[in-house]
Amino acid sequence: MKHYIGIDIGGMSVKAGIVNEEGKIICKDICQTFPDKHYSVMVKDMYELCVKILSDAGLRFEDISGVGIGCPGTIYAEKGIITFANNLNFHDTPLVDEFKKYWKGDAVYIENDANCAALGEYLFGSGKGSRNCIFITLGTGVGSGFILDGKIFAGKMGAGAEAGHMVIRIDGEKCTCGRRGCWEAYASATALIRDTQKAMAKNPDSLMHKIAAQYGKVNGRVAFDAAKQNDKAAKQVVKRYIKYIGCGVVNLINIFRPDKVLIGGGISNEGDYFIKLIQRYVNRYHYGGKINPRVKVVRASLLNDAGIIGAASLAMNK
Ligand SMILES: [Zn+2]
């Protein structure tokens, strides 16, 4: 059985795991890091984390067939360079070369984290068995990954596949990218919280106030919880939110007509109820109505391990 290492770089921590060729994590660990650290310091920490998990698993360097690294931002995969990662202070950072100063193996690869997660889901998660699939993650922002004919599609220098920044409303809400009306500004958890707060301000009697108080804040669950209890204002928030997500999903379906659309990220924890609402919207509005093939909307299944498994699968797929 072959083994790979998957490294998942996040804003405050780096996770690493040893993953076998069947996509099972056999050992994993995490180390704290800080965005203001110089990248060389972070890479050394990353390497030491790899040494630690190897020793925990009782494996040697020679037992690892490849290392994959997933990182947010624009990644120039062929050159192993992080062109730009907003929250991490990386600009044209030669991460793979730096890592190879310590790790004496050639098979080291890097990709955008959503692209990695898409590949992981395609090989080992709910994307299994499909030829083309699109992965969407609904969190602080809206991330996306495209697997076309079994390969990651990332565009020139890895700067493509940013579906979160397609506009769904001209002159709409301001987006972090500088444009207005981006999908991310409507379909992210951040946007849902903003819309929940607006609805709460307009509806002082809504159940959402009570539920938010129980959570101690307005989070992405408040409107869903209240809607399930038949709160009118909350139902409107959820209905509109599904429309926003559905609009972007249908746009992508009409371009790519994938076999499946996978939905991940914090909001996907709403589960079947939530996925069914998106599926219903998609069935109704996808191009070709009853004539063209329907596209399945499913919940991504690797959950918290998507980062590590996705990064490792990058090395497997080479
Ligand atoms: Zn944008």
Side-chain angles (χ1 to χ4, degrees):
M1 177 89 73
K2 284 185 173 178
H3 292 88
Y4 300 83
I5 288 182
I7 301 173
D8 179 20
I9 300 178
M12 300 302 281
S13 65
V14 173
K15 293 183 213 163
I18 298 173
V19 181
N20 69 21
E21 64 188 39
E22 289 169 349
K24 296 263 175 311
I25 295 181
I26 58 168
C27 179
K28 64 178 174 180
D29 209 338
I30 183 168
C31 76
Q32 298 307 311
T33 183
F34 301 96
D36 52 351
K37 262 189 196 173
H38 189 260
Y39 73 87
S40 60
V41 181
M42 201 203 74
V43 170
K44 194 158 180 280
D45 289 349
M46 237 165 73
Y47 170 72
E48 278 161 9
L49 187 63
C50 292
V51 171
K52 180 173 184 299
I53 55 172
L54 273 177
S55 129
D56 288 349
L59 292 173
R60 296 160 309 157
F61 165 79
E62 294 79 23
D63 298 322
I64 300 301
S65 303
V67 179
I69 304 167
C71 180
T74 301
I75 313 293
Y76 192 175
E78 291 91 334
K79 302 249 184 216
I81 290 171
I82 302 168
T83 309
F84 177 65
N86 199 11
N87 305 322
L88 291 161
N89 223 358
F90 289 147
H91 296 273
D92 291 324
T93 305
L95 203 93
V96 168
D97 281 349
E98 184 69 23
F99 185 73
K100 282 183 181 169
K101 284 184 186 167
Y102 305 98
W103 184 267
K104 301 297 176 199
D106 282 332
V108 180
Y109 309 96
I110 188 165
E111 250 299 346
N112 168 275
D113 55 356
N115 294 353
C116 285
L119 185 63
E121 291 285 347
Y122 171 80
L123 291 172
F124 303 114
S126 43
K128 242 173 154 175
S130 58
R131 189 170 138 201
N132 299 310
C133 78
I134 294 176
F135 168 76
I136 305 296
T137 168
L138 306 171
T140 315
V142 173
S144 57
F146 296 77
I147 307 297
L148 306 177
D149 285 331
K151 287 200 180 92
I152 292 173
F153 174 82
K156 189 170 183 180
M157 290 169 73
E162 289 291 348
H165 300 285
M166 66 176 160
V167 167
I168 63 163
R169 194 166 197 167
I170 298 277
D171 295 333
E173 297 281 347
K174 217 170 178 183
C175 181
T176 51
C177 75
R179 262 181 124 188
R180 279 186 176 276
C182 288
W183 193 26
E184 172 166 307
Y186 291 90
S188 62
T190 316
L192 173 62
I193 290 167
R194 176 200 66 215
D195 290 346
T196 304
Q197 283 166 332
K198 275 188 192 167
M200 285 167 69
K202 272 193 208 156
N203 297 279
D205 298 331
S206 164
L207 249 183
M208 291 188 283
H209 291 276
K210 199 176 140 200
I211 292 167
Q214 281 163 359
Y215 283 121
K217 62 178 178 189
V218 179
N219 59 26
R221 299 177 66 179
V222 170
F224 279 102
D225 287 4
K228 281 176 199 155
Q229 295 178 53
N230 230 1
D231 182 80
K232 207 176 150 202
K235 277 164 86 175
Q236 275 171 357
V237 172
V238 169
K239 199 176 163 196
R240 213 166 36 229
Y241 184 58
I242 296 296
K243 242 182 177 176
Y244 294 145
I245 297 171
C247 173
V249 169
V250 169
N251 289 350
L252 297 175
I253 287 173
N254 290 351
I255 300 169
F256 294 101
R257 190 62 53 164
D259 304 298
K260 284 180 190 171
V261 175
L262 318 176
I263 311 277
I267 300 285
S268 70
N269 292 333
E270 290 299 327
D272 287 349
Y273 159 78
F274 170 66
I275 298 294
K276 271 186 195 148
L277 291 174
I278 303 173
Q279 180 78 67
R280 203 189 299 161
Y281 183 97
V282 164
N283 291 349
R284 185 158 173 205
Y285 293 109
H286 74 106
Y287 178 73
K290 291 192 171 103
I291 303 155
N292 283 343
R294 282 197 168 176
V295 177
K296 266 196 141 169
V297 178
V298 285
R299 188 182 172 194
S301 59
L302 301 180
L303 308 176
N304 291 333
D305 290 331
I308 290 174
I309 296 173
S313 63
L314 191 64
M316 283 176 219
N317 219 32
K318 294 289 172 182

